Short mmCIF file of all heavy atoms in Angstrom, two decimals:
data_model
loop_
_atom_site.label_atom_id
_atom_site.label_comp_id
_atom_site.label_asym_id
_atom_site.label_seq_id
_atom_site.Cartn_x
_atom_site.Cartn_y
_atom_site.Cartn_z
N VAL N 1 -7.62 5.55 -4.49
CA VAL N 1 -6.19 5.27 -4.37
C VAL N 1 -5.64 5.12 -5.78
O VAL N 1 -6.15 4.32 -6.57
CB VAL N 1 -5.92 3.99 -3.57
CG1 VAL N 1 -4.43 3.68 -3.54
CG2 VAL N 1 -6.46 4.14 -2.15
N LEU N 2 -4.62 5.90 -6.10
CA LEU N 2 -3.95 5.83 -7.39
C LEU N 2 -2.52 5.36 -7.15
O LEU N 2 -1.77 5.99 -6.40
CB LEU N 2 -3.97 7.19 -8.09
CG LEU N 2 -3.47 7.24 -9.53
CD1 LEU N 2 -4.16 8.39 -10.29
CD2 LEU N 2 -1.96 7.41 -9.62
N HIS N 3 -2.16 4.27 -7.76
CA HIS N 3 -0.82 3.67 -7.62
C HIS N 3 -0.03 3.96 -8.88
O HIS N 3 -0.49 3.68 -9.99
CB HIS N 3 -0.98 2.16 -7.39
CG HIS N 3 0.27 1.37 -7.56
ND1 HIS N 3 1.45 1.68 -6.92
CD2 HIS N 3 0.54 0.24 -8.30
CE1 HIS N 3 2.38 0.80 -7.25
NE2 HIS N 3 1.85 -0.07 -8.09
N ASP N 4 1.15 4.54 -8.72
CA ASP N 4 2.01 4.92 -9.85
C ASP N 4 3.30 4.12 -9.75
O ASP N 4 4.28 4.55 -9.11
CB ASP N 4 2.30 6.42 -9.80
CG ASP N 4 3.05 6.91 -11.02
OD1 ASP N 4 3.62 6.08 -11.75
OD2 ASP N 4 3.10 8.14 -11.23
N PRO N 5 3.36 2.93 -10.37
CA PRO N 5 4.54 2.07 -10.20
C PRO N 5 5.81 2.63 -10.84
O PRO N 5 6.91 2.39 -10.34
CB PRO N 5 4.13 0.75 -10.87
CG PRO N 5 3.01 1.11 -11.79
CD PRO N 5 2.32 2.28 -11.17
N LYS N 6 5.68 3.40 -11.91
CA LYS N 6 6.87 3.94 -12.56
C LYS N 6 7.56 4.97 -11.68
O LYS N 6 8.79 5.03 -11.61
CB LYS N 6 6.50 4.53 -13.92
CG LYS N 6 6.14 3.48 -14.97
CD LYS N 6 5.91 4.11 -16.33
CE LYS N 6 5.59 3.03 -17.37
NZ LYS N 6 5.33 3.62 -18.71
N ARG N 7 6.77 5.80 -11.01
CA ARG N 7 7.35 6.82 -10.13
C ARG N 7 7.49 6.30 -8.69
O ARG N 7 7.98 7.02 -7.82
CB ARG N 7 6.46 8.07 -10.12
CG ARG N 7 6.31 8.71 -11.50
CD ARG N 7 5.38 9.91 -11.41
NE ARG N 7 5.01 10.40 -12.74
CZ ARG N 7 4.10 11.36 -12.97
NH1 ARG N 7 3.49 11.94 -11.94
NH2 ARG N 7 3.81 11.73 -14.20
N GLU N 8 7.05 5.08 -8.47
CA GLU N 8 7.11 4.45 -7.15
C GLU N 8 6.46 5.34 -6.09
O GLU N 8 7.04 5.64 -5.04
CB GLU N 8 8.57 4.12 -6.77
CG GLU N 8 9.20 3.11 -7.70
CD GLU N 8 10.59 2.68 -7.23
OE1 GLU N 8 11.13 3.33 -6.32
OE2 GLU N 8 11.12 1.70 -7.78
N THR N 9 5.24 5.75 -6.38
CA THR N 9 4.50 6.59 -5.44
C THR N 9 3.02 6.27 -5.52
O THR N 9 2.60 5.39 -6.30
CB THR N 9 4.75 8.09 -5.73
OG1 THR N 9 4.22 8.87 -4.65
CG2 THR N 9 4.12 8.52 -7.04
N PHE N 10 2.21 6.95 -4.74
CA PHE N 10 0.77 6.76 -4.77
C PHE N 10 0.10 8.07 -4.38
O PHE N 10 0.73 8.98 -3.82
CB PHE N 10 0.33 5.64 -3.82
CG PHE N 10 0.71 5.86 -2.38
CD1 PHE N 10 -0.05 6.68 -1.55
CD2 PHE N 10 1.83 5.24 -1.84
CE1 PHE N 10 0.30 6.90 -0.22
CE2 PHE N 10 2.19 5.44 -0.51
CZ PHE N 10 1.43 6.28 0.30
N LEU N 11 -1.19 8.16 -4.69
CA LEU N 11 -2.02 9.31 -4.31
C LEU N 11 -3.32 8.77 -3.72
O LEU N 11 -4.00 7.94 -4.34
CB LEU N 11 -2.31 10.19 -5.53
CG LEU N 11 -3.34 11.32 -5.34
CD1 LEU N 11 -2.82 12.35 -4.34
CD2 LEU N 11 -3.67 11.98 -6.67
N ILE N 12 -3.66 9.23 -2.53
CA ILE N 12 -4.93 8.88 -1.89
C ILE N 12 -5.68 10.18 -1.64
O ILE N 12 -5.09 11.16 -1.17
CB ILE N 12 -4.71 8.15 -0.55
CG1 ILE N 12 -3.77 6.95 -0.73
CG2 ILE N 12 -6.04 7.68 0.04
CD1 ILE N 12 -3.43 6.25 0.59
N ALA N 13 -6.97 10.21 -1.96
CA ALA N 13 -7.75 11.45 -1.77
C ALA N 13 -9.20 11.12 -1.44
O ALA N 13 -9.71 10.05 -1.79
CB ALA N 13 -7.67 12.33 -3.01
N ARG N 14 -9.86 12.09 -0.79
CA ARG N 14 -11.26 11.96 -0.41
C ARG N 14 -12.00 13.24 -0.75
O ARG N 14 -11.43 14.33 -0.73
CB ARG N 14 -11.38 11.67 1.09
CG ARG N 14 -12.78 11.29 1.55
CD ARG N 14 -12.80 10.97 3.03
NE ARG N 14 -14.14 10.60 3.48
CZ ARG N 14 -14.50 10.49 4.74
NH1 ARG N 14 -13.60 10.71 5.72
NH2 ARG N 14 -15.74 10.17 5.08
N ASP N 15 -13.29 13.14 -1.06
CA ASP N 15 -14.07 14.29 -1.52
C ASP N 15 -14.17 15.38 -0.45
O ASP N 15 -13.90 15.14 0.73
CB ASP N 15 -15.46 13.84 -2.00
CG ASP N 15 -16.36 13.34 -0.87
OD1 ASP N 15 -16.78 14.17 -0.04
OD2 ASP N 15 -16.66 12.14 -0.83
N PRO N 16 -14.54 16.60 -0.86
CA PRO N 16 -14.47 17.76 0.05
C PRO N 16 -15.22 17.63 1.36
O PRO N 16 -14.73 18.05 2.42
CB PRO N 16 -15.04 18.90 -0.80
CG PRO N 16 -14.70 18.52 -2.20
CD PRO N 16 -14.87 17.03 -2.23
N ILE N 17 -16.43 17.06 1.35
CA ILE N 17 -17.26 16.98 2.55
C ILE N 17 -17.14 15.63 3.24
O ILE N 17 -17.41 15.50 4.43
CB ILE N 17 -18.73 17.30 2.21
CG1 ILE N 17 -18.84 18.68 1.57
CG2 ILE N 17 -19.62 17.22 3.44
CD1 ILE N 17 -18.40 19.82 2.47
N GLY N 18 -16.72 14.62 2.51
CA GLY N 18 -16.62 13.29 3.09
C GLY N 18 -17.90 12.49 2.93
O GLY N 18 -18.27 11.71 3.81
N VAL N 19 -18.57 12.66 1.80
CA VAL N 19 -19.78 11.88 1.52
C VAL N 19 -19.42 10.40 1.41
O VAL N 19 -20.16 9.52 1.87
CB VAL N 19 -20.44 12.38 0.22
CG1 VAL N 19 -21.64 11.50 -0.15
CG2 VAL N 19 -20.88 13.83 0.37
N VAL N 20 -18.27 10.12 0.82
CA VAL N 20 -17.79 8.75 0.65
C VAL N 20 -16.78 8.42 1.76
O VAL N 20 -15.86 9.20 2.00
CB VAL N 20 -17.15 8.57 -0.73
CG1 VAL N 20 -16.54 7.18 -0.88
CG2 VAL N 20 -18.18 8.82 -1.84
N PRO N 21 -16.93 7.31 2.44
CA PRO N 21 -16.02 6.98 3.55
C PRO N 21 -14.67 6.46 3.08
O PRO N 21 -14.55 5.91 1.98
CB PRO N 21 -16.78 5.89 4.31
CG PRO N 21 -17.62 5.22 3.27
CD PRO N 21 -18.00 6.31 2.29
N LEU N 22 -13.66 6.63 3.92
CA LEU N 22 -12.33 6.10 3.63
C LEU N 22 -11.54 6.00 4.94
O LEU N 22 -11.56 6.93 5.75
CB LEU N 22 -11.58 7.00 2.64
CG LEU N 22 -10.22 6.47 2.16
CD1 LEU N 22 -10.40 5.16 1.37
CD2 LEU N 22 -9.49 7.50 1.32
N TYR N 23 -10.87 4.87 5.12
CA TYR N 23 -10.07 4.62 6.32
C TYR N 23 -8.68 4.16 5.93
O TYR N 23 -8.49 3.51 4.89
CB TYR N 23 -10.73 3.55 7.19
CG TYR N 23 -12.10 3.93 7.71
CD1 TYR N 23 -13.24 3.70 6.96
CD2 TYR N 23 -12.24 4.53 8.96
CE1 TYR N 23 -14.49 4.07 7.43
CE2 TYR N 23 -13.49 4.88 9.44
CZ TYR N 23 -14.61 4.65 8.66
OH TYR N 23 -15.86 5.02 9.13
N LEU N 24 -7.72 4.50 6.76
CA LEU N 24 -6.35 4.02 6.61
C LEU N 24 -6.02 3.08 7.76
O LEU N 24 -6.57 3.20 8.86
CB LEU N 24 -5.35 5.18 6.63
CG LEU N 24 -5.47 6.24 5.53
CD1 LEU N 24 -4.35 7.26 5.67
CD2 LEU N 24 -5.46 5.62 4.14
N GLY N 25 -5.11 2.15 7.50
CA GLY N 25 -4.65 1.25 8.53
C GLY N 25 -3.18 0.91 8.33
O GLY N 25 -2.66 1.01 7.21
#
């Protein structure tokens, strides 16, 4: 998760195959 306070936005990303887990809520 990358938080960009100056642009008031964020970027969330996960690797191509999903070796590393990630959940949203």
Side-chain angles (χ1 to χ4, degrees):
V1 176
L2 188 152
H3 166 52
D4 187 344
K6 289 185 178 179
R7 300 178 191 173
E8 296 186 349
T9 190
F10 59 81
L11 171 65
I12 308 176
R14 189 178 180 192
D15 69 69
I17 303 298
V19 176
V20 175
L22 186 64
Y23 298 86
L24 299 183

